[in-house]
Amino acid sequence: MSVRPRPGAEVPVLTAQMARASNPAGTTAMWVRDRLDGLWRDEDFADWYPRDGRPGLSPAQLATVSVLQFLLGLSDRDAAEAVRCRIDFKYALGLELDDPGFHHSVLTDFRDRLLRDGRADRLLDLTLARL
């Protein structure tokens, strides 16, 4: 699996409209998007993945899902289901409303990558520098 940076990463218009209409006061997921968007970029994770192979999911999005998972106390299955079903999660990740999401095992794989070679510490340092 390789990383192909996703272009733009803007919230699709319909996703934003539906998220705001259904949650006028916002949600935790919407707050994370509105205040922390751009905290991670796919390029920050490029050395975690091989250069060739089929494109993987956006590691910046997976990092955001991991943060939301922690904040909301969700299991991997529940977090993957939220990405598939919840409009506010689609908003947070900049996904179209019909995006099918991903299998919950992707979060385990992402955490496994995070645990290698001090990557978690480097990601935290990068996060703190950007904040």
Side-chain angles (χ1 to χ4, degrees), residues 1-5 42 49 53-59 61-62 106:
M1 178 172 24
S2 64
V3 172
R4 305 262 193 308
D42 288 339
Y49 297 87
R54 66 180 171 82
L57 296 169
S58 163
Q61 287 177 322
L62 293 174
V106 170

Side-chain angles (χ1 to χ4, degrees), residues 4-85:
R4 305 262 193 308
R6 57 192 168 111
E10 294 293 320
V11 178
V13 173
L14 186 56
T15 302
Q17 288 173 344
M18 293 297 293
R20 294 282 171 215
S22 60
N23 300 290
T27 66
T28 300
M30 293 167 72
W31 184 92
V32 166
R33 171 66 187 216
D34 291 342
R35 288 165 183 81
L36 301 180
D37 181 41
L39 189 57
W40 304 288
R41 298 180 201 108
D42 288 339
E43 295 83 8
D44 298 330
F45 303 88
D47 64 335
W48 297 22
Y49 297 87
R51 295 197 184 281
D52 54 0
R54 66 180 171 82
L57 296 169
S58 163
Q61 287 177 322
L62 293 174
T64 301
V65 172
S66 296
V67 168
L68 291 171
Q69 182 180 10
F70 173 78
L71 289 173
L72 300 172
L74 302 175
S75 68
D76 287 351
R77 286 181 191 271
D78 291 340
E81 182 177 348
V83 172
R84 189 172 43 261
C85 301

